[in-house]
Amino acid sequence: MMLTDPSQKYRAFPQIDLPNRQWPSQVITAPPRWLSTDLRDGNQALIDPMNAEKKSRFFDLLLKVGVKEIEVGFPSAGATEFDFISGLVKDGRIPDDVMVQVLTQAREDLIATTFESLRGAKKAIVHVYNAVSPAWRRIVFGMERPQIKEIAVHAAKLLRDNAAAQPDTDWHFEYSPETFSTAELDFSLECCEAVMDILMPTPDKPLILNLPATVECATPNIYADQIEWMCRHISKRDSVVISLHPHNDRGTGVAAAELGLMAGADRVEGCLFGNGERTGNCDIVTVALNMYTQGINPALDFSDIDDVIQTVEYCNQLPVHPRHPYAGELVFTAFSGSHQDAIKKGFAAQEARNDLIWDVPYLPIDPKDLGRDYEAVIRVNSQSGKGGVAWVLQQDKGLKLPKRMQADFSRVVQALADSSSRELGAADIWTAFQDHYRIGGEQAYSLIDYHESGVAGDRIFTGKIAYQGGERSISGRGNGLLSSVLAALRDELGVDLDIADYSEHAIGAGTDVNAAAYVECRTPDGRTVFGIGTDSDVATASVKAVLSAANGMVARG
């Protein structure tokens, strides 16, 4: 059971002594170097690790997205890993502008195997690590600081010597003081400096120092303090690349990465959609698209995010959550009526403006930038309002209902949603629309043909309509087309309506388009009925709209 006083069992993470910290006032203005560790850190966290076919498919996806540094595996872990990595080299599948990275523990035999897996590569990163924090020193290794530091030094010498034995490869090195986020900063610095003394990095050939939040144990501002402290105290800052590897145990891996960049880091390691051990790694999709929404090109391309999702789900055998930032099926979807109304108005305002600046309520990014369409932005259930219903009809059928007609039809949809207790799709809404406004199918009155004559201010409508299973000719006189149609209905069929409002618009754009016409009519007893008509000719559409209203009046008695 949870304790009433958790301080009896858990201790608050200590603050970092960092006077005059600078990161809170910094702004991210450019993308970092990205390192995908999907094929290593992500893969080792899967229930069923990827086989060679899935690893190959994922590798191709990362190239397509634009990742330039890819941790392709742990070659000493087994034959599948070794063969995949060496196969990438032998088959010439690594583009010249991409560096693959491999991970190894700080052991001589494992490091030798690691270098052998990359024999013949043009360039590559070898990443070595050892845990340095007190809990690992005490519980896992039973060692003191000097012994832990010696592990790092010995590993660095092995990197140097193995690289010298394969001089045709452009070798780069990465060192991780593993468990950095829970280690003493001065000891992490001591280990990093000792490794630097061996590998002798330069501005032209920097050493990557990866500072992982192996287990996220503090708020992201603490991690930012740790990163800024290291950036301030490390020697030869221009000869090292500070890399972040935040895990997500507290659910703030993305925030930790962003604050870490503000604190001076140069590189971010993570996985697509945040896969990884326990609660996962930093999600580099979210970090990249967060930058994109701030006007920064992240140098990663998610223009077809659904294709990315499909590949990742296939390779990982893990679903992307429907609410996952930017990627989930429902993240651009509004069900609430007030939200739908704001989004609908936002799109209308966006269309009316002359600039490209995106400013739509509830949507921090244009779904089309990610290859999504607008149909799923608004979906209808019992929580939805008139704006949502109108949006679905506009997206699905190109209809732009007048406001009062929106309110009229939303009541119909609300009753349908309440009775069905489910989401209503576009087909459900269109069926209800046709039924309510008496369009299509067998109706009391439907237009067969008509002719209009006369002069301005004195028009004569002569029409042939389907009526009671047969045809009937009617005619009427008025000061315009609609008034003459109303006169014909009143004089010939006893259907008495007055028009309170009329509107029309083209459906779509171009020269070969249909028109939609809407009428709001009053009956002699004060009731309101609406009608709609569509046709390639706007005049004919308006006649059909009046007949739609007449059918509604007859149907409702």
Side-chain angles (χ1 to χ4, degrees):
M1 294 179 63
M2 291 183 67
L3 303 174
T4 55
D5 180 12
S7 66
Q8 296 176 349
K9 189 173 184 179
Y10 302 100
R11 288 170 293 179
F13 201 91
Q15 297 291 306
I16 306 300
D17 183 16
L18 187 67
N20 193 30
R21 56 182 53 81
Q22 297 299 303
W23 66 260
S25 60
Q26 301 304 306
V27 176
I28 298 172
T29 58
R33 289 170 56 173
W34 302 104
L35 182 282
S36 161
T37 187
D38 290 274
L39 298 176
R40 197 279 302 172
D41 199 340
N43 186 51
Q44 72 185 37
L46 299 177
I47 299 170
D48 297 310
M50 287 180 263
N51 58 23
E53 183 271 331
K54 287 181 177 178
K55 292 199 78 168
S56 180
R57 184 166 171 177
F58 210 126
F59 180 77
D60 288 340
L61 172 67
L62 294 170
L63 296 181
K64 181 179 178 182
V65 166
V67 181
K68 300 302 181 185
E69 298 177 41
I70 302 172
E71 194 165 57
V72 289
F74 206 141
S76 61
T80 299
E81 292 283 283
F82 186 97
D83 291 345
F84 170 72
I85 294 163
S86 62
L88 291 176
V89 176
K90 293 174 183 176
D91 296 340
R93 293 185 56 197
I94 305 169
D96 289 344
D97 64 343
V98 171
M99 273 202 296
V100 294
Q101 176 172 303
V102 290
L103 181 71
T104 178
Q105 292 169 310
R107 281 174 42 189
E108 186 168 354
D109 57 332
L110 303 184
I111 290 175
T113 300
T114 298
F115 274 89
E116 186 60 31
S117 72
L118 290 167
R119 182 172 295 277
K122 293 180 182 179
K123 57 184 176 181
I125 304 168
V126 179
H127 177 191
V128 69
Y129 70 96
N130 68 306
V132 300
S133 67
W136 266 257
R137 297 197 306 262
R138 183 180 70 253
I139 299 170
V140 180
F141 302 118
M143 293 182 178
E144 299 298 328
R145 279 191 180 194
Q147 296 166 290
I148 295 294
K149 177 181 169 182
E150 180 54 33
I151 292 174
V153 169
H154 183 60
K157 291 177 180 178
L158 291 171
L159 293 187
R160 179 195 62 194
D161 296 344
N162 277 269
Q166 295 187 44
D168 291 338
T169 297
D170 179 14
W171 295 106
H172 298 253
F173 303 122
E174 175 172 342
Y175 171 66
S176 290
E178 184 74 351
T179 64
F180 163 81
S181 60
T182 52
E184 308 93 334
L185 285 170
D186 66 321
F187 184 55
S188 293
L189 178 65
E190 186 178 337
C191 290
C192 289
E193 293 285 2
V195 169
M196 291 169 63
D197 288 342
I198 303 299
L199 296 178
M200 300 178 64
T202 66
D204 292 333
K205 200 71 171 288
L207 169 66
I208 301 170
L209 291 178
N210 185 47
L211 306 177
T214 306
V215 179
E216 188 179 42
C217 294
T219 50
N221 63 296
I222 298 290
Y223 187 56
D225 279 351
Q226 293 171 326
I227 299 302
E228 184 170 330
W229 191 96
M230 287 291 288
C231 288
R232 287 189 191 184
H233 289 84
I234 196 79
S235 66
K236 299 181 182 178
R237 178 63 181 89
D238 62 350
S239 297
V240 296
V241 172
I242 300 297
S243 187
L244 309 174
H245 188 113
H247 277 258
N248 200 43
D249 299 87
R250 292 171 56 92
T252 56
V254 166
E258 292 179 326
L259 298 191
L261 289 173
M262 292 163 61
D266 310 296
R267 187 173 183 257
V268 172
E269 301 188 0
C271 292
L272 301 185
F273 309 119
N275 181 40
E277 294 184 78
R278 304 182 310 280
T279 54
N281 290 281
C282 171
D283 173 15
I284 60 177
V285 177
T286 299
V287 178
L289 292 177
N290 282 353
M291 292 181 186
Y292 183 81
T293 65
Q294 303 304 301
I296 300 167
N297 184 342
L300 297 177
D301 185 3
F302 298 109
S303 296
D304 189 353
I305 201 164
D306 288 331
D307 178 65
V308 177
I309 292 167
Q310 184 179 27
T311 300
V312 171
E313 288 184 332
Y314 167 75
C315 293
N316 288 345
Q317 293 297 293
L318 292 172
V320 173
H321 194 279
R323 300 292 182 190
H324 194 102
Y326 301 109
E329 180 186 356
L330 297 176
V331 296
F332 300 126
T333 300
F335 291 101
S336 163
S338 61
H339 293 196
Q340 292 174 344
D341 183 62
I343 291 171
K344 182 173 178 290
K345 289 176 179 176
F347 272 104
Q350 191 78 16
E351 189 175 337
R353 290 212 319 272
N354 293 323
D355 60 65
L356 295 176
I357 298 300
W358 181 254
D359 188 18
V360 176
Y362 294 109
L363 296 178
I365 194 172
D366 185 348
K368 284 197 173 180
D369 288 357
L370 305 180
R372 297 267 176 91
D373 57 37
Y374 293 147
E375 291 184 7
V377 169
I378 290 176
R379 288 162 59 174
V380 175
N381 61 17
S382 60
Q383 301 296 309
S384 305
K386 64 181 185 300
V389 175
W391 171 268
V392 172
L393 286 171
Q394 181 175 339
Q395 295 299 305
D396 188 49
K397 299 298 179 182
L399 302 180
K400 302 176 183 178
L401 306 190
K403 286 187 177 181
R404 288 174 58 83
M405 193 173 184
Q406 291 178 28
D408 177 70
F409 185 54
S410 69
R411 289 189 286 270
V412 175
V413 174
Q414 181 72 46
L416 179 60
D418 285 338
S419 64
S420 64
S421 298
R422 63 176 177 85
E423 180 188 352
L424 301 181
D428 299 315
I429 293 171
W430 180 239
T431 298
F433 188 82
Q434 289 177 298
D435 181 65
H436 184 66
Y437 294 112
R438 306 290 167 175
I439 53 177
E442 188 172 334
Q443 303 297 339
Y445 315 112
S446 57
L447 183 67
I448 298 174
D449 193 13
Y450 80 96
H451 175 70
E452 182 187 11
S453 59
V455 297
D458 185 17
R459 309 298 293 173
I460 298 173
F461 168 84
T462 303
K464 183 183 293 184
I465 63 171
Y467 175 68
Q468 294 184 349
E471 295 181 4
R472 179 161 176 178
S473 296
I474 61 174
S475 64
R477 182 187 296 269
N479 60 10
L481 175 60
L482 294 187
S483 62
S484 61
V485 174
L486 292 172
L489 290 173
R490 182 182 61 251
D491 297 341
E492 303 275 359
L493 300 173
V495 178
D496 192 1
L497 291 170
D498 287 324
I499 292 180
D501 189 46
Y502 169 84
S503 62
E504 63 187 43
H505 65 80
I507 301 176
T511 56
D512 186 22
V513 296
N514 278 355
Y518 311 90
V519 292
E520 178 183 345
C521 297
R522 298 281 189 272
T523 65
D525 59 359
R527 288 181 298 144
T528 298
V529 290
F530 295 87
I532 176 176
T534 61
D535 196 86
S536 58
D537 174 65
V538 67
T540 303
S542 66
V543 175
K544 290 180 177 180
V546 172
L547 291 177
S548 167
N551 286 324
M553 176 184 176
V554 172
R556 295 171 182 78

